Amino acid sequence: MKIVSYILFPLICTHNIYAQEYKQKEIDILAFIEKNFPTQETEASDRESISYERLYETFFQLYSNPLNLNTASEEQLLSLYVLSHPQVQSFLHYRETNGMLISIYELQGIPEFDVETISKLIPFVEVNTQESQKISSLHIIKNSQNYLLIRGSYPLQLKKGYTIENGYKGNPYQHHMRFRSTFGNAYSFGFTMETDAGESLWNNSQNIYGSDFYSAHLLLKNKGKWKALAIGDFQIQMGEGLVFGAGFKIGKGAETVLTLKKYNIGILPYTSVIETGFFRGAAASYSHKNINILAFYSFLPQDGSFASDSLNNESYVSSIITSGLHRTTKELENRNSIQEQNIGTSIWWKKKNLYAGINSIYTLYDTEIKKSDKQYNQYEFAGKQNTVSSFFFALQIKNIQLFGESAVSQSGGVGALVGMLISIHSSFLVSILSRSYDKNFHSFYSRAFGENTRNINEQGIYWGIKWKLHNKWLLTGYYDFFSFPWIRYNADKPTNGNEYLLRLTYTPHKKTTLFFQARSKEQIINYLEEEKKTNALTSSIKRNFIVDLHHKSTVLLSFKTRIQWSNYDLLGNTTYGYIIAQDVSFHTKKIDIALRSAFFDVDDFQNRQYIYEKDVLFAFSFPSYTNTGVIMYILSQIPLSKKISLSIRYSIMQILNVQTLFSGLEEIDGDTYSHARFQIKWNL
């Protein structure tokens, strides 16, 4: 079988050897995310819950530390969100039957694998025949992957916050430094430093020395029965994310059939610059036969917004702030003002096609938390401590995968979901998921599937399909019905809504991809009745459409054209918005250049247009646009030597018929905003 695959693969892919293409240059991870995950079709609330920075960081970690196909487990392969369960089963059967892979080219000879799937998979995997053998410490040191990255961002127009006395305390520049050292499935070590624009580089009273945010981790993996030992900053992914939902929350998009289920990844290093949503302390994972045990302790200061009760002469935290920004006097006062401790454990059992387990976490704050006295906050968390525990499972029955998790918090609120992935045919996949989160269910580190930003006050059922109509045609889509049993912000009564999406992708050949996508979302919201001066409820409908064409003209040159538009209906009034973007990319061994010019015309905030933009390596750029204007940017990546590369990005935006841009301390005089970013990456 291996000999046959060596012969067939080069013949089939002679003009496009995917393994070589992806390993010879660093891929555009954001472009990969844009193609395979929900992006432009999302609303603001969806974007907050998905957290694209976390999504990016997850795939960056996978790219920096690829899975070894010879040792990767079923859970690890599925957690890539590239392979379906039948494809993973087919791969594992091939590896069990034929032994360790010798070359990445063998993937072509595995049933269920096609060229498109392989091209998506290769950036995040490798074939290493040594890793399963005993490797000396000296070998690990010599062959580890190490890099140092330094980045600076510089706006070319000053915002109001930098020019007034009570504005921002720091300069308008953002600085970022990251070091990472990894070796296969053995260890990960690294640290990150970042100062956001407007933050001070030095503040003794706030313990700010050189940078506003520091993060470091050491993760040792697969040391005998100890599967993971972590010190520093880490995350945990277990079950379906109702208790431990590390990394990111996948939203509803064209590929949700594959991303609907979460997997037991366990302990992960934390390398993001997002300053909340992770643990800081120590964690360990131990495995004995079919039993796995994970335990951890975390102590991490959080930013809190304080309020006072004059009657009882006491103060409390009204909310935990997640922005991570410390630019003004008030933001600095809130910095690290509440101490959070977490103790947790996960125990699970696995045998063949079944696994089941329990999760539990206890959270303790040093200051009482109490939300503002509004009706929709009546069932929100209040107090100093919280416990949430869950039971989770997954079962494979032929071509059907069942999974679920049920959790209960200290308040008595219950959160539960149960789902099913069905492979009707290798070309036709179906997914179904039902969820129910009580109005008093409180889980601070949950990122399970849902419509809301948090897993609270929601019920719903989701259906999704992925149907390969032909070698050149792919149809994906979903329908989701959801309801909110209790009132919420901007809805004074229990409400419901629905959403659907369809995407049709046409790939006439490997160099060209065209897709059309339609999405509609209807929900009930408040509106103000002028005569009665009170809120009433009405239906709102938002529709999004995308046409996207990508063509690789030559080895050096590629083009991409995107047209996306939307309309928003409320009380019989319809507003509109659109953006047209043209990209040109030029690649040689000496330089990469990417250019974009775009025009947008957006009636209002409800039709704001989100669009992915290329940025320097490992940076994140996914802005939204309103009003009428133009955007242009140029990005160049230049190798200075075999180990050092320089990236430079310049962007400019002009809004027509305005006197100022943005608002508040972010206000800029004039109609133009430009920005430059520089980055050096040194492979040590």
Side-chain angles (χ1 to χ4, degrees):
M1 175 64 75
K2 292 188 177 183
I3 295 176
V4 173
S5 66
Y6 295 154
I7 297 172
L8 288 179
F9 191 87
L11 289 176
I12 295 172
C13 302
T14 52
H15 64 290
N16 194 358
I17 302 300
Y18 285 92
Q20 292 179 354
E21 275 196 6
Y22 279 107
K23 294 306 179 184
Q24 285 177 355
K25 65 176 183 178
E26 291 163 322
I27 69 163
D28 188 339
I29 298 177
L30 273 177
F32 175 86
I33 292 172
E34 180 196 30
K35 183 177 180 181
N36 296 285
F37 295 92
T39 50
Q40 278 76 12
E41 64 266 24
T42 56
E43 301 287 347
S45 60
D46 300 331
R47 286 170 50 79
E48 182 181 353
S49 63
I50 296 168
S51 179
Y52 289 98
E53 292 187 37
R54 297 188 191 278
L55 181 59
Y56 175 85
E57 286 289 338
T58 299
F59 278 96
F60 164 62
Q61 290 179 34
L62 289 169
Y63 176 75
S64 302
N65 186 24
L67 286 177
N68 181 5
L69 289 174
N70 284 326
T71 58
S73 66
E74 178 182 349
E75 291 284 311
Q76 289 175 317
L77 290 168
L78 288 168
S79 66
L80 294 172
Y81 298 112
V82 171
L83 301 174
S84 66
H85 197 272
Q87 287 174 323
V88 171
Q89 291 297 312
S90 182
F91 170 80
L92 294 175
H93 177 74
Y94 176 89
R95 191 175 67 182
E96 182 179 353
T97 303
N98 297 280
M100 289 198 305
L101 280 70
I102 300 174
S103 168
I104 201 78
Y105 299 138
E106 290 185 61
L107 293 175
Q108 183 66 29
I110 300 176
E112 307 283 350
F113 278 60
D114 53 28
V115 174
E116 181 184 1
T117 299
I118 295 171
S119 67
K120 291 181 182 180
L121 182 66
I122 281 178
F124 309 109
V125 298
E126 65 180 1
V127 171
N128 187 339
T129 58
Q130 294 181 328
E131 190 174 315
S132 58
Q133 304 170 6
K134 188 174 182 179
I135 303 174
S136 66
S137 299
L138 182 61
H139 177 85
I140 292 176
I141 294 173
K142 286 184 176 180
N143 293 278
S144 61
Q145 297 180 358
N146 310 287
Y147 71 84
L148 177 66
L149 184 146
I150 301 173
R151 179 193 308 149
S153 299
Y154 306 96
L156 302 183
Q157 288 84 27
L158 276 182
K159 297 179 179 179
K160 182 179 179 181
Y162 302 104
T163 61
I164 61 175
E165 183 177 353
N166 295 318
Y168 297 143
K169 301 301 181 182
N171 60 54
Y173 313 125
Q174 181 187 42
H175 303 99
H176 175 97
M177 183 168 72
R178 181 204 303 257
F179 171 78
R180 188 80 184 272
S181 177
T182 61
F183 179 82
N185 216 25
Y187 83 93
S188 173
F189 167 72
F191 65 83
T192 302
M193 305 163 53
E194 187 189 55
T195 299
D196 291 308
E199 294 181 335
S200 301
L201 292 173
W202 206 270
N203 187 319
N204 287 327
S205 64
Q206 289 290 329
N207 297 319
I208 299 174
Y209 307 107
S211 283
D212 176 80
F213 176 70
Y214 288 89
S215 176
H217 75 272
L218 172 62
L219 177 65
L220 304 177
K221 297 181 284 186
N222 298 313
K223 304 299 179 183
K225 293 184 178 180
W226 293 96
K227 294 302 178 184
L229 297 168
I231 298 176
D233 295 348
F234 59 91
Q235 294 178 292
I236 295 173
Q237 168 58 53
M238 293 299 303
E240 295 303 318
L242 278 178
V243 178
F244 300 122
F248 58 92
K249 172 184 172 181
I250 291 292
K252 293 174 284 188
E255 289 287 343
T256 315
V257 171
L258 292 181
T259 61
L260 195 66
K261 187 190 182 312
K262 284 182 170 286
Y263 298 98
N264 297 332
I265 305 173
I267 303 169
L268 294 168
Y270 188 75
T271 63
S272 175
V273 293
I274 300 173
E275 300 180 28
T276 59
F278 64 95
F279 301 114
R280 176 170 291 173
S285 177
Y286 183 83
S287 178
H288 178 67
K289 295 183 179 179
N290 296 327
I291 301 294
N292 299 271
I293 302 173
L294 184 155
F296 74 94
Y297 169 77
S298 169
F299 178 87
L300 181 67
Q302 303 278 12
D303 294 354
S305 178
F306 275 82
S308 60
D309 185 345
S310 57
L311 293 178
N312 297 314
N313 194 27
E314 61 181 7
S315 63
Y316 57 89
V317 173
S318 59
S319 64
I320 292 179
I321 302 170
T322 60
S323 68
L325 296 175
H326 310 113
R327 304 161 300 179
T328 64
T329 300
K330 183 61 177 178
E331 289 174 349
L332 284 167
E333 290 175 355
N334 294 332
R335 183 178 185 266
N336 295 341
S337 57
I338 180 171
Q339 309 300 315
E340 177 188 287
Q341 296 183 73
N342 285 284
I343 300 174
T345 185
S346 180
I347 303 172
W348 71 103
W349 170 86
K350 181 176 181 180
K351 188 173 183 180
K352 293 184 178 180
N353 295 329
L354 171 67
Y355 71 73
I358 55 174
N359 291 321
S360 185
I361 183 173
Y362 170 74
T363 302
L364 176 66
Y365 296 104
D366 68 340
T367 304
E368 184 180 11
I369 296 177
K370 184 169 66 175
K371 293 284 186 178
S372 61
D373 189 20
K374 296 183 181 297
Q375 190 176 13
Y376 59 77
N377 284 332
Q378 181 177 341
Y379 294 96
E380 288 286 350
F381 172 78
K384 289 187 176 182
Q385 59 185 6
N386 184 55
T387 302
V388 58
S389 301
S390 74
F391 168 80
F392 63 90
F393 77 95
L395 172 65
Q396 183 72 31
I397 305 174
K398 294 184 178 180
N399 62 335
I400 300 175
Q401 188 177 24
L402 300 171
F403 59 91
E405 184 172 15
S406 180
V408 58
S409 61
Q410 184 170 297
S411 62
V414 174
L417 64 84
V418 60
M420 181 186 304
L421 303 178
I422 309 170
S423 178
I424 297 176
H425 186 269
S426 60
S427 61
F428 190 61
L429 303 177
V430 176
S431 60
I432 304 171
L433 185 140
S434 177
R435 74 267 191 192
S436 177
Y437 310 132
D438 285 351
K439 58 190 176 185
N440 61 335
F441 175 65
H442 307 133
S443 185
F444 304 144
Y445 289 88
S446 67
R447 291 194 185 96
F449 183 91
E451 171 67 20
N452 278 332
T453 302
R454 298 175 297 132
N455 300 133
I456 188 172
N457 184 34
E458 179 181 340
Q459 296 176 353
I461 184 166
Y462 165 97
W463 298 268
I465 64 165
K466 183 176 183 179
W467 186 7
K468 193 165 187 177
L469 304 169
H470 185 268
N471 290 335
K472 298 180 180 180
W473 293 91
L474 176 66
L475 178 66
T476 54
Y478 66 79
Y479 176 79
D480 187 37
F481 177 82
F482 47 85
S483 63
F484 309 108
W486 177 244
I487 63 175
R488 58 195 179 99
Y489 175 74
N490 206 28
D492 292 341
K493 294 181 181 179
T495 58
N496 57 51
N498 66 86
E499 180 180 4
Y500 69 81
L501 177 146
L502 284 175
R503 176 187 284 189
L504 183 63
T505 303
Y506 175 57
T507 310
H509 47 75
K510 296 169 187 174
K511 293 185 178 181
T512 302
T513 301
L514 170 68
F515 75 76
F516 172 78
Q517 178 173 291
R519 176 181 185 257
S520 176
K521 182 175 183 178
E522 181 179 5
Q523 54 184 343
I524 309 299
I525 62 171
N526 284 340
Y527 79 96
L528 180 64
E529 287 187 321
E530 294 293 340
E531 295 180 357
K532 298 180 180 179
K533 303 296 182 183
T534 58
N535 284 333
L537 295 177
T538 188
S539 174
S540 66
I541 302 178
K542 174 73 176 291
R543 303 178 184 91
N544 302 77
F545 306 92
I546 300 175
V547 177
D548 186 287
L549 172 65
H550 184 269
H551 177 66
K552 188 172 184 180
S553 180
T554 66
V555 176
L556 302 179
L557 198 61
S558 65
F559 300 88
K560 180 176 179 180
T561 303
R562 173 173 286 242
I563 304 172
Q564 59 185 59
W565 68 99
S566 65
N567 60 64
Y568 180 75
D569 290 340
L570 180 67
L571 295 174
N573 298 318
T574 304
T575 54
Y576 302 89
Y578 71 87
I579 187 168
I580 302 173
Q582 179 62 57
D583 295 321
V584 180
S585 299
F586 181 75
H587 169 73
T588 69
K589 291 183 178 180
K590 294 184 178 181
I591 190 171
D592 279 353
I593 297 177
L595 303 102
R596 166 174 290 176
S597 61
F599 176 80
F600 57 91
D601 188 2
V602 180
D603 289 345
D604 55 12
F605 182 73
Q606 297 294 343
N607 284 286
R608 60 202 178 278
Q609 299 294 309
Y610 291 98
I611 188 164
Y612 148 77
E613 295 182 351
K614 286 190 175 183
D615 212 319
V616 299
L617 190 64
F618 308 145
F620 176 85
S621 184
F622 201 177
S624 65
Y625 293 102
T626 56
N627 296 315
T628 302
V630 294
I631 319 155
M632 291 182 287
Y633 69 73
I634 179 170
L635 169 67
S636 61
Q637 301 184 40
I638 309 165
L640 302 179
S641 68
K642 290 184 178 180
K643 292 188 175 182
I644 301 176
S645 62
L646 170 67
S647 299
I648 304 172
R649 185 182 191 267
Y650 172 77
S651 64
I652 183 169
M653 175 185 69
Q654 183 179 25
I655 304 297
L656 307 180
N657 303 318
V658 299
Q659 300 298 319
T660 60
L661 295 177
F662 313 126
S663 61
L665 295 180
E666 293 287 288
E667 183 179 297
I668 295 174
D669 288 331
D671 61 358
T672 302
Y673 178 67
S674 55
H675 186 271
R677 182 169 289 159
F678 303 88
Q679 179 170 286
I680 292 178
K681 182 171 180 285
W682 182 12
N683 294 313
L684 304 173

